[in-house]
Amino acid sequence: MKSSLPSKILYSSGVIFDVARWVILIAVILALVNTFWLTLFFVDGVSMETNMHDGELALLQKNGYAGKSEPARGDIVVVQYPGDPEHRRYVKRVVGLPGEALSVSAGRVLVNNKEIDEDYLPVDVTTEPAGSWTIGPNEYFLMGDNRFASNDSRYFGSVEKRFFLGKVLAVVFPRLRSADDL
Amino acid sequence: MVETKYKKSGIFGFYRRKAIFFAIVLAAGFLGWRGLTGNLFLADRNATLTSTISQEAAILVTVDHSGQIFINGKRSGKRVSALSDYDEVRLPVVDESGQYYDRVVITLKLPAAVAYETEHELLVIHGVDNSRSYTSDGSTIVYEANGVSGYATLSIVAKLPKGYIDFPLTEKAKQVLLRIQANVWVGIAIALPLLTLIFMLLFILRQRRSGRIDLPGEEITAPPMLIPPAIVGVLMNQHVRAREVAATLVDLAVRGDIVILDRDRDFAFGKGRFDQRLLGYEKILLTKIFRESLSSDRLEIEKRINNHFYSKKISLVSAGVYAVATRLGYFKVNPQRLFAQYRLIGILAFLVGAGGFALSLLYMAQPPYIIFFWAGMMISALVVAFSASSIPIRTPLGRETMSNWLAFKRYLSSAEPIPYSENLPRIFEKYLPYAIVMDCEAAWARRFIEHNFTLPGWFLTDKSGLGLDDFCLSLFPIISYVSRSLVALREPGFE
């Protein structure tokens, strides 16, 4: 006896529902967490040496700058590269804040003509090339900790807040370190 | 020979059903891992590649009135983004070409003469000597880069004043959706299932009020009518659960159609006398347990359960119980059919929600807050699918019959010990299936605790001196395990 079309639809959709409902619900919950709250990512490259290493697994807080919360100097952040937001994401450190005048001179970083304390850098690291930038409103100046091998705001300019994906909370693998220790 | 055959386990200890389940889990795990490894956030090197090959490149980028972007006359698949204050072209034009260029000139043609009002810049990374952008005429912006390495990426940015791009309707709708605040979407995601739940609860309450069942004042000491325990169960709960199957098995045993063998850490069912008076669903249940053989032990039953993802026979058992109860006039419509309709609506809404969720995640701009709406829709769908079976659909006859059976349940679950009579063991056995189906088998057994216990003839065991407690502790787990396992095999739409 042939089964009718409605019963076939009921059966087929029921099978999918039956088999997949928990998988779908768990996937939905994970996707919501991954999209709006926390995600893990791999560091790819050396521009954050010596604080973050190539291949390390780190934890990113997605809503780290939601609402009135603003990035602070020294925060390690993940941003979309403004030149290709869909495909490139960078992990960098916030060095300059909106409205500030930032300059690099004699290997040092100055904000509003005052040298900033970059205690996260190894002692012998200097910053090149020399230059000066005015950071626009709602923009941030980002640099990698490995100043000799980092593509950052020194080359592509300040980054608008809309390109910020979140704040790095910790490196979780292979050695757990909180962002405060980076 | 038959025994040896049935004692084989599945391939590497995995039965088909389990294998499918673990395959799905593995696939989900693999996809999750792929998603995680896709999260490569670059902390990249500042490349400075030079080459001896000298070349110049000229690229023409055109934006039409609908916001489509063309590169050298070919549709790029990208379009202008509508932001709150301006419409934006943001496009990587040269991306790791592998070729060194002395000079790259990108000419951007705008759909109107707004170049002088347009903010523009050229973003360059990975090895470019110098770059600049300038307006060449009212509708043209030129971006130039010199000493462009093969690793370089050149991206043009132009922020056009509002009102010069006439976005298509779908794009406008997308923009409206994207402009809705995140907390609005979260609110919808919470409100949608809550409203669905409230609606379903109110609907169920209204139906229950209009079809109130009179609770009996007094108990009755015998079943109000001779109907099988599974029918009583479905009349009470509108649902064929494991208890209805368990009660049917015990009823079949009491009637002499099967015997239950209790062995040390094992059990088996044996065929009793051949009885033509079996109901259709009872026959199907027996064929599921025995197939062609005269007995069926735990291994055989487990093999039959584990080898199936769904069982047509068990679905037919459920369908048979619903059909008999409906034919007896207890329900306005066949409960199975009604619940299947609700379930289908719920399933379709769930799948639409899941599809919308996945598509929004893949194709909407970050962050795609609309996914909260889809998540809310999926939860609402589950609320509909699972609450529908609580909608009361009993007829006046069904309600009256249920009231009588509730009076009998009062008798079964009374705390008073049953007074001694010669017929005591027979009474215990006879009403045990009804006690099981009405969820009061423990209370029913307690009523006999003060009397000597005679082991029923249909329960064969290798233990000696079994009391009532021991009998219950041996029988109930066997029946419960088998019935739960069988009921889990019902096809979708029969739950």
Side-chain angles (χ1 to χ4, degrees):
Chain A
M1 200 173 73
K2 272 192 172 179
S3 44
S4 64
L5 186 65
S7 63
K8 273 183 184 170
I9 293 170
L10 176 68
Y11 185 84
S12 314
S13 57
V15 170
I16 297 167
F17 180 74
D18 226 38
V19 175
R21 65 185 161 184
W22 295 115
V23 176
I24 291 175
L25 280 178
I26 290 168
V28 163
I29 291 166
L30 289 179
L32 285 172
V33 169
N34 181 66
T35 308
F36 296 108
W37 187 32
L38 290 172
T39 191
L40 289 168
F41 71 94
F42 285 106
V43 177
D44 182 20
V46 295
S47 83
M48 286 302 287
E49 294 281 358
T50 55
N51 290 312
M52 295 176 88
H53 310 293
D54 186 26
E56 282 188 329
L57 190 64
L59 186 66
L60 181 75
Q61 187 187 3
K62 285 283 190 92
N63 63 349
Y65 302 116
K68 290 180 180 173
S69 170
E70 298 292 344
R73 200 185 324 278
D75 281 359
I76 299 177
V77 295
V78 171
V79 294
Q80 295 168 303
Y81 168 53
D84 189 6
E86 279 180 40
H87 302 109
R88 279 173 209 255
R89 284 134 192 229
Y90 288 154
V91 53
K92 303 288 175 196
R93 193 182 290 273
V94 176
V95 178
L97 303 177
E100 290 180 339
L102 188 141
S103 58
V104 174
S105 171
R108 298 170 302 156
V109 178
L110 294 93
V111 170
N112 297 335
N113 291 320
K114 204 173 164 187
E115 185 179 355
I116 58 166
D117 178 21
E118 294 194 278
D119 57 357
Y120 40 79
L121 297 181
V123 186
D124 55 341
V125 168
T126 56
T127 306
E128 301 292 343
S132 59
W133 297 265
T134 301
I135 306 168
N138 219 22
E139 289 183 352
Y140 295 84
F141 200 91
L142 311 176
M143 285 194 212
D145 288 352
N146 188 355
R147 296 288 157 85
F148 302 113
S150 171
N151 252 299
D152 48 41
S153 292
R154 290 171 292 167
Y155 304 97
F156 54 74
S158 305
V159 177
E160 290 174 57
K161 193 185 167 191
R162 67 178 160 126
F163 295 114
F164 278 56
L165 291 177
K167 179 181 179 180
V168 174
L169 292 182
V171 170
V172 293
F173 185 81
R175 194 165 59 85
L176 183 68
R177 282 119 61 209
S178 106
D180 296 336
D181 302 327
L182 298 174
Chain B
M1 281 305 287
V2 172
E3 291 296 314
T4 319
K5 180 183 156 197
Y6 278 122
K7 278 176 184 167
K8 276 182 189 171
S9 68
I11 304 163
F12 303 121
F14 276 102
Y15 293 101
R16 239 181 310 166
R17 194 167 180 229
K18 287 180 187 166
I20 292 170
F21 174 77
F22 283 113
I24 291 169
V25 171
L26 275 176
F30 175 72
L31 289 174
W33 176 248
R34 289 280 301 191
L36 183 62
T37 50
N39 271 354
L40 283 173
F41 292 171
L42 298 173
D44 69 340
R45 176 177 291 279
N46 179 10
T48 49
L49 179 81
T50 53
S51 164
T52 53
I53 305 163
S54 296
Q55 276 197 5
E56 287 203 2
I59 301 165
L60 175 65
V61 179
T62 316
V63 177
D64 74 5
H65 280 94
S66 70
Q68 287 277 3
I69 300 175
F70 298 82
I71 298 177
N72 289 334
K74 285 184 185 165
R75 193 187 286 258
S76 69
K78 306 277 179 190
R79 58 169 50 252
V80 176
S81 311
L83 302 180
S84 53
D85 298 330
Y86 48 83
D87 295 330
E88 185 180 73
V89 176
R90 191 174 282 272
L91 183 74
V93 180
V94 176
D95 192 9
E96 297 182 5
S97 66
Q99 168 79 53
Y100 174 80
Y101 290 101
D102 278 336
R103 185 162 173 260
V104 175
V105 178
I106 302 163
T107 306
L108 175 66
K109 285 278 181 195
L110 300 176
V114 289
Y116 293 109
E117 302 157 56
T118 300
E119 266 185 57
H120 49 82
E121 63 177 325
L122 180 62
L123 300 176
V124 298
I125 49 168
H126 296 163
V128 175
D129 289 347
N130 57 66
S131 64
R132 65 170 183 150
S133 64
Y134 58 90
T135 308
S136 80
D137 63 50
S139 61
T140 309
I141 299 168
V142 179
Y143 303 83
E144 267 185 34
N146 295 302
V148 179
S149 83
Y151 290 136
T153 299
L154 309 184
S155 306
I156 60 169
V157 177
K159 295 175 179 176
L160 284 71
K162 281 276 184 195
Y164 294 95
I165 304 287
D166 183 21
F167 291 102
L169 206 62
T170 50
E171 193 61 26
K172 281 179 187 166
K174 193 175 154 189
Q175 286 160 20
V176 169
L177 289 176
L178 286 173
R179 246 176 255 137
I180 297 173
Q181 295 288 312
N183 47 11
V184 175
W185 287 119
V186 174
I188 291 171
I190 295 167
L192 209 58
L194 264 181
L195 287 173
T196 311
L197 184 66
I198 291 167
F199 173 79
M200 290 303 286
L201 282 176
L202 288 176
F203 182 64
I204 290 165
L205 279 175
R206 194 166 153 240
Q207 295 289 317
R208 282 199 178 165
R209 200 167 296 162
S210 64
R212 193 182 290 276
I213 292 158
D214 295 327
L215 290 176
E218 287 182 11
E219 62 183 37
I220 53 172
T221 58
M225 62 198 63
L226 276 175
I227 54 173
I231 308 301
V232 178
V234 84
L235 172 65
M236 297 280 212
N237 304 290
Q238 300 193 145
H239 218 68
V240 178
R241 309 158 303 158
R243 277 189 175 272
E244 280 68 42
V245 176
T248 302
L249 286 173
V250 175
D251 188 42
L252 286 167
V254 172
R255 283 153 52 193
D257 293 304
I258 60 169
V259 288
I260 299 167
L261 289 87
D262 172 41
R263 300 165 184 164
D264 188 29
R265 295 184 182 187
D266 206 350
F267 65 84
F269 289 93
K271 269 188 182 168
R273 64 184 159 81
F274 183 74
D275 196 338
Q276 288 284 11
R277 289 169 304 169
L278 288 171
L279 289 164
Y281 69 84
E282 292 172 336
K283 280 182 194 162
I284 299 167
L285 182 62
L286 290 181
T287 60
K288 179 67 188 171
I289 291 175
F290 293 106
R291 284 205 180 150
E292 304 297 321
S293 54
L294 288 171
S295 69
S296 188
D297 65 12
R298 184 177 59 84
L299 273 175
E300 290 168 49
I301 292 170
E302 281 182 352
K303 186 176 165 60
R304 274 171 211 157
I305 290 168
N306 289 322
N307 258 350
H308 290 86
F309 210 62
Y310 299 112
S311 164
K312 184 84 182 166
K313 281 182 182 172
I314 296 300
S315 304
L316 289 173
V317 170
S318 291
V321 176
Y322 286 124
V324 172
T326 311
R327 250 198 326 271
L328 287 171
Y330 297 153
F331 296 110
K332 294 170 194 164
V333 288
N334 188 324
Q336 178 204 337
R337 202 167 297 161
L338 182 82
F339 301 151
Q341 285 167 2
Y342 277 98
R343 197 173 151 81
L344 179 62
I345 293 167
I347 288 169
L348 291 178
F350 183 85
L351 295 178
V352 168
F357 187 94
L359 289 175
S360 305
L361 212 54
L362 289 173
Y363 296 111
M364 295 290 270
Q366 290 283 339
Y369 292 116
I370 195 174
I371 62 174
F372 284 110
F373 167 78
W374 298 116
M377 184 173 175
M378 289 162 76
I379 298 169
S380 304
L382 290 179
V383 169
V384 172
F386 289 115
S387 62
S389 59
S390 302
I391 299 169
I393 50 167
R394 291 179 199 90
T395 57
L397 173 66
R399 293 199 292 273
E400 189 190 330
T401 312
M402 183 172 161
S403 179
N404 292 333
W405 278 100
L406 285 172
F408 182 54
K409 185 182 178 184
R410 285 189 66 160
Y411 165 72
L412 293 176
S413 52
S414 164
E416 291 289 311
I418 296 273
Y420 178 78
S421 73
E422 280 184 13
N423 218 11
L424 214 57
R426 180 70 193 135
I427 291 172
F428 172 71
E429 282 178 47
K430 196 176 166 189
Y431 298 161
L432 182 59
Y434 295 108
I436 290 172
V437 89
M438 288 192 278
D439 201 7
C440 57
E441 69 276 13
W444 177 238
R446 261 198 304 277
R447 298 197 70 182
F448 294 82
I449 205 81
E450 289 179 1
H451 305 296
N452 287 332
F453 176 69
T454 312
L455 198 65
W458 46 265
F459 189 77
L460 308 174
T461 179
D462 49 8
K463 295 162 201 156
S464 55
L466 236 60
L468 180 60
D469 277 356
D470 306 315
F471 167 72
C472 291
L473 285 172
S474 302
L475 174 70
F476 294 157
I478 295 171
I479 295 297
S480 170
Y481 169 70
V482 173
S483 54
R484 277 169 197 273
S485 306
L486 288 173
V487 161
L489 291 177
R490 276 182 301 200
E491 292 169 303
F494 283 88
E495 277 186 20

PDB file of all heavy atoms in Angstrom, chain A residues 58 149 153:
ATOM      1  N   ALA A  58      43.179  30.864  22.216  1.00  0.00           N
ATOM      2  CA  ALA A  58      42.830  31.947  23.149  1.00  0.00           C
ATOM      3  C   ALA A  58      41.321  32.115  23.231  1.00  0.00           C
ATOM      4  O   ALA A  58      40.571  31.671  22.360  1.00  0.00           O
ATOM      5  CB  ALA A  58      43.484  33.241  22.694  1.00  0.00           C
ATOM      6  N   ALA A 149      57.553  43.043  13.337  1.00  0.00           N
ATOM      7  CA  ALA A 149      56.880  42.143  12.393  1.00  0.00           C
ATOM      8  C   ALA A 149      55.377  42.175  12.618  1.00  0.00           C
ATOM      9  O   ALA A 149      54.751  41.159  12.906  1.00  0.00           O
ATOM     10  CB  ALA A 149      57.417  40.722  12.565  1.00  0.00           C
ATOM     11  N   SER A 153      48.066  49.546  12.774  1.00  0.00           N
ATOM     12  CA  SER A 153      47.605  50.909  12.469  1.00  0.00           C
ATOM     13  C   SER A 153      48.724  51.800  11.930  1.00  0.00           C
ATOM     14  O   SER A 153      48.452  52.817  11.293  1.00  0.00           O
ATOM     15  CB  SER A 153      46.988  51.538  13.706  1.00  0.00           C
ATOM     16  OG  SER A 153      45.790  50.889  14.026  1.00  0.00           O
TER      17      SER A 153
END
